[in-house]
Amino acid sequence: MDESSVKKAAEIILSAKSCIAFTGAGVSVESGIPPFRGENSLWNRYDPKVLDLNFFKASPEVSWPVIKEIFYDFFGLAKPNKAHKVLARMEQAGMLKCVVTQNIDNLHQDAGSKEVYEFHGNLQRIICTRCDYRVMAPDADFSKLPLMCPKCGGLLKPDFVFFGEQIPVEAYEKSVVAARQADVCLIVGSTGEVMPAAIIPSEAKRNKAVVIEINPDESHFTGNITDIHLKGKAGEVFSELEKFLF
Ligand code: NAD
């Protein structure tokens, strides 16, 4: 990451009419949450079938203990890092319209971001698969698994998108509208392999947005729709960007 690219990116952000950020698992890596793919990733350690909707419904006694370990014992301890914090500060300063996130960890909201479109839901909410019962994770009783609904006896499920599930309609629609109106799109820590989420930056690009990517590695976006690649870890790059933005 050279300073002139960071400075140029900051100038583009500062002159934008509508800048949006699209974030993936990489933005939370410096908070201690590993990505799903690649070295040290979650799917190297756990079987992704526990998040397959049909498997989960058929074998909740197998899925729930793994889900609890990954998402509630482990993710629950994570705190926002510099990248989440600078993105929240950018929104407060009127430089950023919204964050479209593929993450389910609530770290953008914990950092203070208000306009967050959760493409894949949020692990904080736990919902009944049968009735309208819902509970926030800190209030749920994880001592007996699988979690069952105290109201109707149905199976409880984290309110994030499992394999085989639809994207939440409202988040999808708001994200597409924001992408179509954007003249700058930041992509932070995403491989671009997960569909349909990966269409969001492409949608912005189709409407002539300048695409600034922040990732230590190359992704499907790099060399394809990316205009400026700030090659580095999200927290480090945002520490540098911050100097020119505020
Ligand atoms: P991914 O796991 O496929 O890829 C992560 C990307 O982040 C890679 O391109 C990698 O090079 C990059 N990266 C790694 N360290 C980084 C750092 N310090 N700074 C910036 N970038 C870094 O992630 P994905 O494309 O977001 O897709 C995986 C899916 O898994 C998503 O849909 C997401 O919902 C889910 N997921 C969420 C979390 C979370 O909520 N924190 C964690 C893991 C997976």
Side-chain angles (χ1 to χ4, degrees):
M1 173 188 37
D2 65 299
E3 194 176 295
S4 65
S5 304
V6 178
K7 189 161 179 257
K8 189 173 164 207
E11 283 165 3
I12 291 168
I13 294 168
L14 286 170
S15 61
K17 287 195 185 68
S18 182
C19 176
I20 65 167
F22 173 78
T23 66
V27 76
S28 296
V29 166
E30 286 148 281
S31 294
I33 301 180
F36 275 175
R37 293 174 184 72
E39 230 185 308
N40 300 322
S41 64
L42 285 171
W43 297 146
N44 279 352
R45 282 185 273 150
Y46 298 97
D47 188 339
K49 78 171 182 223
V50 295
L51 294 187
D52 177 279
L53 190 62
N54 290 331
F55 181 86
F56 172 75
K57 284 185 171 168
S59 310
E61 71 291 349
V62 178
S63 283
W64 253 116
V66 182
I67 289 170
K68 174 180 175 287
E69 186 180 323
I70 304 176
F71 296 102
Y72 297 101
D73 297 346
F74 176 52
F75 274 36
L77 300 172
K79 299 271 175 287
N81 64 50
K82 189 73 178 176
H84 299 106
K85 288 178 189 165
V86 174
L87 285 167
R89 205 175 155 201
M90 287 169 66
E91 182 188 352
Q92 280 146 21
M95 286 174 209
L96 188 72
K97 280 270 180 294
C98 65
V99 175
V100 177
T101 189
Q102 299 172 84
N103 296 343
I104 56 173
D105 56 26
N106 209 55
L107 292 182
H108 287 297
Q109 291 93 329
D110 288 347
S113 286
K114 299 277 180 257
E115 204 63 15
V116 182
Y117 306 148
E118 297 172 324
F119 219 85
H120 293 150
N122 188 312
L123 58 74
Q124 296 270 335
R125 300 181 297 263
I126 296 174
I127 55 171
C128 180
T129 52
R130 204 193 281 165
C131 76
D132 61 0
Y133 178 81
R134 48 179 56 222
V135 61
M136 296 306 281
D139 301 323
D141 176 10
F142 286 94
S143 64
K144 196 161 169 277
L145 298 175
L147 291 191
M148 302 304 284
C149 178
K151 202 167 141 191
C152 77
L155 177 64
L156 294 184
K157 171 190 172 295
D159 192 15
F160 59 73
V161 176
F162 279 34
F163 299 118
E165 265 191 311
Q166 295 294 316
I167 304 301
V169 176
E170 198 188 335
Y172 180 86
E173 288 177 355
K174 284 184 167 177
S175 304
V176 171
V177 170
R180 288 184 181 156
Q181 290 170 349
D183 56 357
V184 176
C185 177
L186 311 179
I187 304 175
V188 191
S190 177
T191 53
E193 282 175 23
V194 179
M195 290 302 266
I199 66 160
I200 296 301
S202 307
E203 203 58 38
K205 180 74 177 182
R206 225 150 37 99
N207 291 281
K208 312 240 173 338
V210 179
V211 174
I212 301 169
E213 180 172 13
I214 297 161
N215 196 318
D217 293 320
E218 304 214 327
S219 71
H220 279 277
F221 302 115
T222 328
N224 187 12
I225 63 162
T226 298
D227 295 298
I228 300 178
H229 182 191
L230 302 178
K231 211 163 187 272
K233 294 180 178 175
E236 292 171 9
V237 173
F238 274 98
S239 295
E240 292 306 307
L241 264 177
E242 191 181 30
K243 294 177 192 162
F244 296 104
L245 290 178
F246 299 101

